[in-house]
Amino acid sequence: MMMVARSVKATFLVLLAASLLLFKLSSVERHGSASQRYDRVQPLYSTFNGLEHQLQRAVEDGHIFHRNQGYPVNKISLAAHPPTLSPIITESKEKQPCTHPKRIVFLKTHKTASSTTASILQRFGFSRNWTFAVGKGHVIARSNLIRPSDIYEYPGMGGKTFDILTNHARYNRETLEMFLPGATYVTILRKPEDQLESAFSYFGMYRGMQLKSSKNPLKSFMEDPYYYYKEKHYFNKERSRNGQLYDLGFDHRDDENETRINMKIDQLDKEFDLVMITEYFDESLILLKKQLCLDYDDIVYISKGVRRENMRFEKNEDIVKKMKRWNHGDYLLYQHFNETFWKKIKDYGPSFEDDKNRFRRLNEKVLSECVDRNSKIKFYLKNNTEKCETLRRSDADFTKLIKKSMAARFGKHV
């Protein structure tokens, strides 16, 4: 009994110390650049990590219990909130009758608004001090299916698994389960003709095809796609046919094997918890909010990676028909998950439209506060408040901040 009493007393002191440290964090000065504010709280992170380990030992000893269910908590993580990420819309906070998933994998697809989605989830995870699975660059695995060697290991992690992955990585469930076991899986798909046109333009595929001088390079490509695909060398060639299936782990050797395509779609249907649809992005975010137990301020956004009008190619009805034949696998993929998407909305319940409209009003409020609508530059900030800077931060910039945080907390990667 004496030993238990001492252990409980020690746990109480650790919790008290954690509370005092949180108070100190909240009083950190807010002036200066985001980087300066971030650096000022870094010494406090290491203290938090030490307290976290002591609390974990208390949990393992059975002295801390879940307040609702009466059993020992499996994991405790003290989320030291970086001063760059204060709440976006505090009045929109609501009590959630759910819990966040323990781990999240967002499988990015190219040119589908996945960067905007990734930055939303990075903001969520970073503000809660979650551990991120990252790689050498912004892209973890571009051409190969993601492998264990593609993910950085940090010495201070001690072999622990990660909480979240948001960077580009070709889908390989076996590897992902090693680093993020039992995660909730989310991805996003776009209408295939729009996704291919966007990738074709954004990655400059037409340059490698030697179609730069063509009046409409996309039209020229679609007149004989097999020729350009087999004979020409151009950047991201593997994403010029069924690129979304490819990002989700499909092998190009089976591009014309409809049986294999349908088998892959069935597999993805079983393995992904939510497949968002670009054309219905706000609707997708309402489903994401429910799936991950988020608040409205977690999902407000400023769009990322939007192209200029002069970087778009015309698609008439004839070109679209040819794109459908060429991208047949992606069309089957999109058709399937577009159907499941609307089923999820139906299952959401009668409050869906009200929830969506409420979110749109809140997001419009943020855009009006942050974005200069009269600027020739899309989504140009009219003020540089902390809130607006955070919302405008790209997933690439978030990745740099995340890597800096991970290195400070767990040592440089090995």
Side-chain angles (χ1 to χ4, degrees):
M1 290 293 293
M2 290 289 292
M3 185 178 296
V4 171
R6 285 196 297 270
S7 181
V8 172
K9 182 178 180 181
T11 300
F12 171 76
L13 292 175
V14 170
L15 288 169
L16 179 62
S19 300
L20 293 172
L21 192 52
L22 277 171
F23 176 78
K24 188 174 181 180
L25 270 170
S26 67
S27 64
V28 171
E29 289 183 336
R30 310 285 293 182
H31 67 270
S33 68
S35 178
Q36 289 171 335
R37 294 194 300 271
Y38 179 80
D39 290 339
R40 284 200 298 272
V41 299
Q42 278 306 303
L44 301 178
Y45 284 158
S46 59
T47 305
F48 255 111
N49 289 332
L51 289 171
E52 182 174 354
H53 292 311
Q54 293 183 52
L55 283 171
Q56 188 61 44
R57 285 198 295 270
V59 170
E60 292 168 356
D61 290 339
H63 301 310
I64 298 179
F65 294 85
H66 193 285
R67 62 179 180 177
N68 294 326
Q69 297 175 331
Y71 53 81
V73 178
N74 292 324
K75 180 180 178 182
I76 285 183
S77 178
L78 290 173
H81 293 262
T84 57
L85 297 174
S86 59
I88 303 300
I89 310 175
T90 54
E91 66 267 26
S92 76
K93 285 286 186 181
E94 59 185 39
K95 187 176 181 181
Q96 293 284 2
C98 54
T99 56
H100 302 308
K102 292 181 178 180
R103 298 176 185 87
I104 298 170
V105 170
F106 175 59
L107 205 294
K108 289 189 71 177
T109 47
H110 285 78
K111 309 314 296 173
T112 58
S114 67
S115 291
T116 301
T117 310
S119 67
I120 290 171
L121 293 173
Q122 287 171 322
R123 189 177 78 221
F124 170 80
F126 187 69
S127 68
R128 289 156 179 81
N129 219 29
W130 281 22
T131 55
F132 282 76
V134 295
K136 182 178 181 181
H138 175 54
V139 176
I140 299 176
R142 184 186 301 278
S143 299
N144 57 275
L145 300 179
I146 186 171
R147 303 162 298 193
S149 59
D150 293 323
I151 297 178
Y152 276 177
E153 295 184 30
Y154 292 89
M157 289 284 291
K160 292 181 180 178
T161 54
F162 295 93
D163 297 320
I164 186 169
L165 181 147
T166 59
N167 292 91
H168 274 299
R170 280 193 70 212
Y171 182 59
N172 179 355
R173 187 62 174 240
E174 183 178 355
T175 294
L176 292 169
E177 283 294 322
M178 290 172 59
F179 292 91
L180 298 106
T184 295
Y185 281 76
V186 179
T187 190
I188 184 167
L189 299 175
R190 184 179 182 183
K191 191 180 293 184
E193 66 265 31
D194 294 336
Q195 188 274 338
L196 177 56
E197 183 273 327
S198 181
F200 183 82
S201 169
Y202 183 83
F203 295 121
M205 295 177 182
Y206 57 92
R207 296 190 183 95
M209 295 178 186
Q210 299 175 338
L211 292 174
K212 189 175 181 180
S213 60
S214 172
K215 185 177 180 180
N216 187 340
L218 181 63
K219 179 182 178 182
S220 299
F221 173 44
M222 283 296 105
E223 286 174 352
D224 193 357
Y226 289 95
Y227 166 74
Y228 293 101
Y229 189 67
K230 292 180 179 180
E231 301 298 329
K232 300 296 182 179
H233 299 282
Y234 49 92
F235 181 62
N236 258 337
K237 173 189 280 194
E238 60 272 19
R239 291 181 172 84
S240 63
R241 188 180 196 192
N242 294 329
Q244 296 176 90
L245 264 177
Y246 180 78
D247 283 335
L248 292 168
F250 193 66
D251 195 313
H252 278 311
R253 290 176 296 184
D254 296 321
D255 274 334
E256 298 187 20
N257 188 329
E258 190 161 330
T259 299
R260 290 289 181 89
I261 291 171
N262 285 321
M263 287 174 60
K264 181 64 176 180
I265 292 171
D266 288 342
Q267 174 201 344
L268 296 171
D269 185 70
K270 293 179 176 70
E271 295 182 352
F272 275 80
D273 299 281
L274 175 64
V275 177
M276 301 166 63
I277 300 293
T278 308
E279 287 74 24
Y280 304 99
F281 191 64
D282 288 352
E283 289 86 349
S284 293
L285 289 179
I286 297 300
L287 293 181
L288 183 73
K289 174 181 178 293
K290 180 180 180 181
Q291 185 75 53
L292 304 183
C293 190
L294 306 178
D295 290 308
Y296 284 101
D297 64 337
D298 293 322
I299 60 172
V300 293
Y301 67 96
I302 296 175
S303 294
K304 314 293 189 298
V306 179
R307 290 178 295 158
R308 300 190 302 271
E309 291 300 323
N310 63 356
M311 293 180 64
R312 300 172 188 270
F313 296 115
E314 181 185 353
K315 305 187 300 295
N316 59 29
E317 186 177 346
D318 180 61
I319 293 174
V320 170
K321 286 181 180 178
K322 292 175 179 177
M323 295 174 84
K324 286 182 177 181
R325 288 197 297 269
W326 174 246
N327 253 10
H328 184 59
D330 269 3
Y331 271 92
L332 293 177
L333 177 75
Y334 182 84
Q335 182 180 24
H336 175 85
F337 284 107
N338 188 44
E339 290 176 2
T340 63
F341 177 80
W342 291 105
K343 184 179 183 301
K344 282 183 178 291
I345 288 179
K346 182 179 179 181
D347 293 342
Y348 185 98
S351 68
F352 182 85
E353 285 298 321
D354 288 341
D355 292 349
K356 181 184 71 174
N357 292 333
R358 179 186 178 190
F359 166 63
R360 283 180 168 171
R361 288 194 299 271
L362 292 169
N363 207 60
E364 178 60 29
K365 179 181 177 181
V366 168
L367 292 175
S368 297
E369 179 181 347
C370 295
V371 175
D372 184 355
R373 303 288 178 87
N374 297 318
S375 174
K376 294 181 180 179
I377 303 174
K378 283 194 173 183
F379 306 111
Y380 183 79
L381 295 186
K382 65 182 178 183
N383 65 63
N384 295 317
T385 62
E386 176 187 322
K387 176 171 69 176
C388 295
E389 285 183 348
T390 299
L391 283 167
R392 187 67 183 91
R393 184 173 288 130
S394 69
D395 62 326
D397 289 337
F398 253 122
T399 298
K400 294 175 184 176
L401 198 59
I402 286 164
K403 286 184 175 181
K404 184 177 181 180
S405 171
M406 293 290 289
R409 294 162 61 195
F410 303 112
K412 291 186 177 180
H413 62 85
V414 295

